Amino acid sequence: MQTQTLSEENYLKVIYHLDKDGLKKITPTAISEALNNNPASVVDMIKKLVDKKLVQYEKSKGVKLTDKGRNIAILIVRKHRLWEVFLLEKLGYEWDEIHDIAEQLEHIQNSELADRLERFLGFPQYDPHGDPIPKANGEQAISYKTLLAEIAPGKSCKVVAVKDTSSSFLQYLKKLDIGIGTKITVLDKIPFDNSMSIAFGKTESTTVSKIFAENLLVHE
Amino acid sequence: MQTQTLSEENYLKVIYHLDKDGLKKITPTAISEALNNNPASVVDMIKKLVDKKLVQYEKSKGVKLTDKGRNIAILIVRKHRLWEVFLLEKLGYEWDEIHDIAEQLEHIQNSELADRLERFLGFPQYDPHGDPIPKANGEQAISYKTLLAEIAPGKSCKVVAVKDTSSSFLQYLKKLDIGIGTKITVLDKIPFDNSMSIAFGKTESTTVSKIFAENLLVHE
DNA sequence: CTTAAAAATTAGGCAAGACTAATAAATTAT
DNA sequence: ATAATTTATTAGTCTTGCCTAATTTTTAAG
Ligand SMILES: [Mn+2]
Ligand SMILES: [Mn+2]
Ligand SMILES: [Mn+2]
Ligand SMILES: [Mn+2]
């Protein structure tokens, strides 16, 4: 079992994430957008990954991870999310500071590292953004997350994750004082622009945009 | 303050370590031996580091770190040793397993990381191999270490570090059940080959070679 | 001082990963 | 079905870091 380069690992992870539903095809362009690089570079790398039997590629059917490729991707995601828990809970970083560091830590290579880290952290199920942490055997905890946008007026819900993980969004949330676990009550939905008026914590009522509501994942 | 590549960081660290006493000159050959690469590669890199003002180089006077270069090197060493403490104390790795992982972790970039890690670990002074952990301001704890080889028969001492950190040596120590903190009494020194007979723990007497005694650092 | 040995440097290459510009293929719209 | 547009692919470069094989310089010996 040879080891992957940092770049190969990042490609595998991106392909894995793009494969969410397994429905829509994963094209070089989609990968290049996710990695913020050039489609030509992606085509080069796809060839390498095919040679290493980490992905399959049929033109006009897109890229598919092989079992081997998927297992590697899942391990990277597992490490990423475990390190995020570590950074937040043990080192006291904020919600919006941990992702970039985990992006580096996820590539640390050692066969026992993820398992030891997981035990040390007390087998967390979710990362600080509410995403499930894959188990050692690759199993995924199911996450029944809904968009805030889909909650009906009058109902309450609890924040479990963010969809957009950009630091501009995370910082906006921090400013509002909304985090994982915050209980939100939907007061009203404005049909004109699909903005929402909500209540949470000490805030009796504030209005958030459609875009906002479509990027906050909650659990009823 | 731009950031260094992984390779540049490794060069700076090696140069820093070769500079122990500040006496003997640091040549391309010495660096290439430490990094296990080719002198020609070292000459290339020295040019880059000179351009970035991280080292000075005068032929036949060798390489010297600039203040900027030294500060970077010290931070890498600081991170390396802090991560080693983490791996041993928090994740339960063994003495001889941590160095290679720390070799990767030392390159994780985040301005607050070393300080947060240090606080989390309770401001350790020494790493698991007995080497001092540089402080945030770059200060070094002094370590008064002596070679076991220099301890006179009849005297006792305490293991504080290893000089050779190869895993063959560390594993030999583990097999003998000698670790940081082990109290050793020197029973006899054999002039013929400078081997030593020593007592420690439940071992009443065993003989170790000159090479062994010159790689174990102790404190009287 | 002259020569032999060791060390440093240069020149020329290679592989990984990325880019740009040009071309070919596949989609979508008319 | 054909044209227009969007995607994918190729060809050719570039940078980083490394290598080997000369060549030059420095150091050590005789
Ligand atoms: Mn993340
Ligand atoms: Mn990454
Ligand atoms: Mn170490
Ligand atoms: Mn390193």
Side-chain angles (χ1 to χ4, degrees):
Chain A
M1 186 187 63
Q2 16 84 91
T3 185
Q4 279 62 53
T5 65
L6 188 145
S7 192
E8 285 168 349
E9 290 196 347
N10 282 332
Y11 274 90
L12 291 175
K13 191 179 71 158
V14 157
I15 294 167
Y16 175 75
H17 283 313
L18 286 173
D19 194 33
K20 246 183 225 347
D21 35 31
L23 297 179
K24 64 174 166 302
K25 75 180 183 188
I26 299 163
T27 62
T29 310
I31 296 171
S32 78
E33 277 161 7
L35 284 171
N36 232 290
N37 70 358
N38 195 290
S41 311
V42 175
V43 172
D44 281 352
M45 182 58 89
I46 288 172
K47 283 175 192 152
K48 285 177 208 159
L49 295 176
V50 167
D51 285 348
K52 291 191 165 191
K53 304 208 195 302
L54 297 171
V55 307
Q56 288 178 268
Y57 185 50
E58 289 176 79
K59 54 181 60 180
S60 80
K61 293 193 69 178
V63 177
K64 288 256 166 296
L65 290 169
T66 62
D67 285 351
K68 194 176 160 197
R70 180 174 303 99
N71 287 339
I72 292 166
I74 289 172
L75 178 57
I76 297 166
V77 171
R78 171 167 156 83
K79 287 192 284 184
H80 181 104
R81 293 181 180 164
L82 285 168
W83 279 118
E84 284 191 340
V85 173
F86 170 75
L87 293 168
L88 190 106
E89 296 198 347
K90 304 296 182 180
L91 298 195
Y93 279 101
E94 298 286 332
W95 210 29
D96 57 326
E97 299 175 310
I98 58 181
H99 180 78
D100 290 345
I101 312 175
E103 205 58 48
Q104 302 171 63
L105 286 164
E106 72 190 3
H107 301 287
I108 303 295
Q109 303 280 353
N110 177 268
S111 58
E112 298 168 38
L113 187 52
D115 297 352
R116 284 181 181 269
L117 194 54
E118 183 182 42
R119 188 183 333 141
F120 174 63
L121 296 172
F123 297 91
Q125 303 269 99
Y126 296 93
D127 81 8
H129 307 108
D131 293 309
I133 297 171
K135 297 291 159 201
N137 60 15
E139 266 173 39
Q140 295 275 2
I142 300 140
S143 71
Y144 22 65
K145 299 184 293 195
T146 329
L147 297 178
L148 173 63
E150 281 160 18
I151 304 296
K155 301 240 169 173
S156 286
C157 57
K158 212 177 64 179
V159 175
V160 296
V162 290
K163 196 169 162 193
D164 177 354
T165 55
S166 70
S167 70
S168 62
F169 186 49
L170 298 179
Q171 274 166 18
Y172 180 28
L173 289 172
K174 193 157 57 158
K175 192 176 147 203
L176 288 174
D177 201 30
I178 291 178
I180 297 292
T182 303
K183 191 181 164 191
I184 294 179
T185 305
V186 175
L187 303 174
D188 198 12
K189 236 175 207 173
I190 293 96
F192 168 63
D193 59 2
N194 286 302
S195 59
M196 268 183 164
S197 115
I198 60 175
F200 60 91
K202 293 173 207 130
T203 305
E204 305 235 335
S205 168
T206 193
T207 303
V208 295
S209 71
K210 181 190 180 201
I211 296 178
F212 181 99
E214 284 177 343
N215 277 295
L216 199 64
L217 292 155
V218 298
H219 177 206
E220 285 192 70
Chain B
M1 185 187 64
Q2 15 86 92
T3 185
Q4 279 60 53
T5 66
L6 189 144
S7 192
E8 286 167 350
E9 290 197 347
N10 282 331
Y11 274 89
L12 291 175
K13 193 180 69 160
V14 157
I15 294 167
Y16 175 76
H17 284 311
L18 287 173
D19 194 32
K20 246 182 217 3
D21 35 30
L23 298 178
K24 64 172 165 303
K25 73 179 183 189
I26 299 163
T27 61
T29 311
I31 296 170
S32 78
E33 277 161 8
L35 282 171
N36 232 291
N37 70 359
N38 194 288
S41 311
V42 175
V43 171
D44 282 351
M45 182 58 88
I46 289 173
K47 284 175 192 152
K48 286 177 208 160
L49 296 176
V50 167
D51 285 348
K52 292 191 165 191
K53 304 208 192 306
L54 297 171
V55 307
Q56 286 178 269
Y57 185 51
E58 289 176 80
K59 53 181 64 179
S60 80
K61 294 193 69 178
V63 178
K64 288 258 165 293
L65 289 169
T66 62
D67 286 350
K68 195 175 158 197
R70 180 174 304 98
N71 287 338
I72 292 167
I74 289 172
L75 178 57
I76 297 166
V77 171
R78 172 168 156 81
K79 287 191 284 185
H80 181 104
R81 294 181 180 164
L82 285 168
W83 279 118
E84 284 191 341
V85 173
F86 170 74
L87 293 169
L88 190 107
E89 296 198 348
K90 303 296 183 182
L91 298 195
Y93 278 100
E94 298 286 332
W95 210 30
D96 57 327
E97 300 175 309
I98 58 182
H99 179 80
D100 289 345
I101 312 175
E103 204 58 47
Q104 302 172 62
L105 286 164
E106 71 190 2
H107 302 287
I108 303 293
Q109 303 280 355
N110 178 269
S111 56
E112 299 168 37
L113 188 52
D115 296 353
R116 285 181 181 269
L117 194 54
E118 183 182 41
R119 187 184 333 141
F120 173 64
L121 297 171
F123 297 92
Q125 303 269 101
Y126 295 94
D127 81 6
H129 307 108
D131 293 309
I133 297 170
K135 298 291 158 202
N137 61 15
E139 267 173 39
Q140 294 276 2
I142 300 139
S143 70
Y144 21 64
K145 297 184 293 192
T146 329
L147 297 178
L148 174 62
E150 281 158 19
I151 303 297
K155 301 239 168 173
S156 286
C157 56
K158 212 176 66 180
V159 176
V160 296
V162 290
K163 198 169 163 194
D164 176 355
T165 55
S166 70
S167 72
S168 62
F169 186 50
L170 297 179
Q171 275 166 18
Y172 180 28
L173 289 172
K174 193 157 57 157
K175 191 176 146 201
L176 288 174
D177 201 29
I178 290 178
I180 298 291
T182 302
K183 192 182 163 192
I184 294 180
T185 305
V186 176
L187 304 174
D188 196 13
K189 237 176 207 172
I190 293 97
F192 167 63
D193 60 359
N194 286 302
S195 59
M196 269 183 162
S197 112
I198 61 176
F200 59 90
K202 292 172 208 132
T203 305
E204 305 234 337
S205 169
T206 193
T207 303
V208 296
S209 71
K210 180 189 182 205
I211 296 178
F212 180 100
E214 285 177 342
N215 278 296
L216 200 64
L217 291 154
V218 298
H219 177 208
E220 285 193 66

